[in-house]
Amino acid sequence: EADIYQTPRYLVIGTGKKITLECSQTMGHDKMYWYQQDPGMELHLIHYSYGVNSTEKGDLSSESTVSRIRTEHFPLTLESARPSHTSQYLCASSELRSGGGYTFGSGTRLTVV
Amino acid sequence: EDKVVQSPLSLVVHEGDTVTLNCSYEVTNFRSLLWYKQEKKAPTFLFMLTSSGIEKKSGRLSSILDKKELFSILNITATQTGDSAVYLCAVPGDSGSARQLTFGSGTQLTVLP
C-alpha cells in the first residue's frame, strides 16, 4: 500500500548521541519535507527536497542535516543531540506539481535527556 | 512572507453543537488552501480549496473559501467527541520551484459528551 513511514515512533536518547530519524515513502513523490512541531504549536519546516541529491533548509533554523540519495528515502540526522532538540518530527511528501495535498508520516517523538 | 492566522485558538463545545473555525491568509501567489485534522499523531488531510464560493463537504464537515476577503471557514455540524482535535489550516507557498506549506497555529477543538 502506498504510504509514508517514519521510524522510530518514539525515541529517548542521552545528550551528545548521534541519531538518525528515518522516513520512507512508496508513492514515488519527488518532494519530501521535515517539519518540527512542539506540543500545541504550529508546524515549522526545517528541511525539504525537490528530488534526488536536492536538499534545502527550511524556515526554522535546525542543527540537523538531511540527505536524499534515493527518491523514496529522506533521513534526518542529529550529530549531537541536546535537550533543546526534544520535539516531534514529522516527515511529509507531495508530488512535484501538486498545489497542496501533502501526505504526512506518523511522526517521531524525540526526547533528549 | 506568507501568513496564516486561525481563530479561535481553542474551543470547547458539547456534543451536538455546530462549530465554525476560521482561517485568514496572506500569500504571494495563491494556489490553494488546505484543512487538516490533527489528533495524537500526524495531520490527516480534510479538504483542499481552490475556488471561491464552492463548498466542499464530507459528512458533517464542510468548508468554503473566500478569495476576495482572503479567508476560509471549516464547519462541523452535530459535533461528536471524536471530532476533538487540532484543526490546521495551511497554504502552499512558492519559493523558487519548491512549494511548501505555511501552517496556522491551529484551533484546538474539544467536544464534551
Side-chain angles (χ1 to χ4, degrees):
Chain A
E1 183 179 340
D3 208 338
I4 182 165
Y5 305 94
Q6 285 187 247
T7 58
R9 287 294 311 278
Y10 302 94
L11 179 63
V12 181
I13 200 162
T15 298
K17 298 292 185 184
K18 177 180 177 179
I19 55 168
T20 296
L21 309 185
E22 300 288 348
C23 176
S24 295
Q25 50 96 3
T26 57
M27 295 169 285
H29 285 170
D30 293 297
K31 295 189 292 182
M32 295 187 75
Y33 314 81
W34 277 102
Y35 289 88
Q36 186 174 341
Q37 184 185 33
D38 293 318
M41 303 294 285
E42 59 200 86
L43 289 162
H44 291 286
L45 179 68
I46 49 175
H47 296 284
Y48 61 94
S49 166
Y50 311 148
V52 171
N53 293 327
S54 154
T55 62
E56 299 285 343
K57 287 189 179 293
D59 302 325
L60 183 68
S61 173
S62 173
E63 294 166 340
S64 58
T65 59
V66 291
S67 63
R68 190 91 183 273
I69 298 171
R70 291 181 289 140
T71 299
E72 61 271 21
H73 196 211
F74 192 40
L76 180 143
T77 298
L78 277 165
E79 290 293 331
S80 179
R82 294 209 299 269
S84 60
H85 295 138
T86 295
S87 188
Q88 171 155 270
Y89 293 84
L90 288 163
C91 181
S93 71
S94 70
E95 293 180 353
L96 193 63
R97 298 186 182 204
S98 66
Y102 287 33
T103 303
F104 284 88
S106 299
T108 294
R109 186 165 293 283
L110 172 66
T111 303
V112 183
V113 297
Chain B
E1 186 181 334
D2 297 342
K3 193 174 172 184
V4 178
V5 178
Q6 291 185 246
S7 64
L9 291 180
S10 180
L11 192 55
V12 181
V13 299
H14 285 97
E15 273 192 316
D17 288 349
T18 293
V19 297
T20 298
L21 311 183
N22 302 292
C23 174
S24 63
Y25 63 90
E26 294 173 23
V27 62
T28 306
N29 189 6
F30 180 83
R31 286 178 174 79
S32 59
L33 183 143
L34 302 108
W35 283 97
Y36 287 86
K37 177 183 181 182
Q38 183 177 20
E39 295 170 275
K40 290 184 180 176
K41 48 182 187 179
T44 53
F45 175 75
L46 294 175
F47 298 111
M48 183 170 78
L49 304 161
T50 55
S51 302
S52 263
I54 298 175
E55 185 182 56
K56 292 237 175 162
K57 206 167 167 63
S58 175
R60 295 176 294 103
L61 276 68
S62 63
S63 184
I64 198 160
L65 176 69
D66 185 330
K67 286 165 77 172
K68 184 180 174 187
E69 300 296 332
L70 307 182
F71 78 90
S72 173
I73 59 171
L74 175 69
N75 272 323
I76 308 175
T77 58
T79 51
Q80 302 171 356
T81 54
D83 295 329
S84 296
V86 175
Y87 290 84
L88 293 163
C89 173
V91 290
D94 187 11
S95 175
S97 60
R99 293 177 189 167
Q100 299 85 42
L101 288 178
T102 298
F103 284 90
S105 55
T107 293
Q108 172 75 60
L109 174 65
T110 303
V111 181
L112 302 175

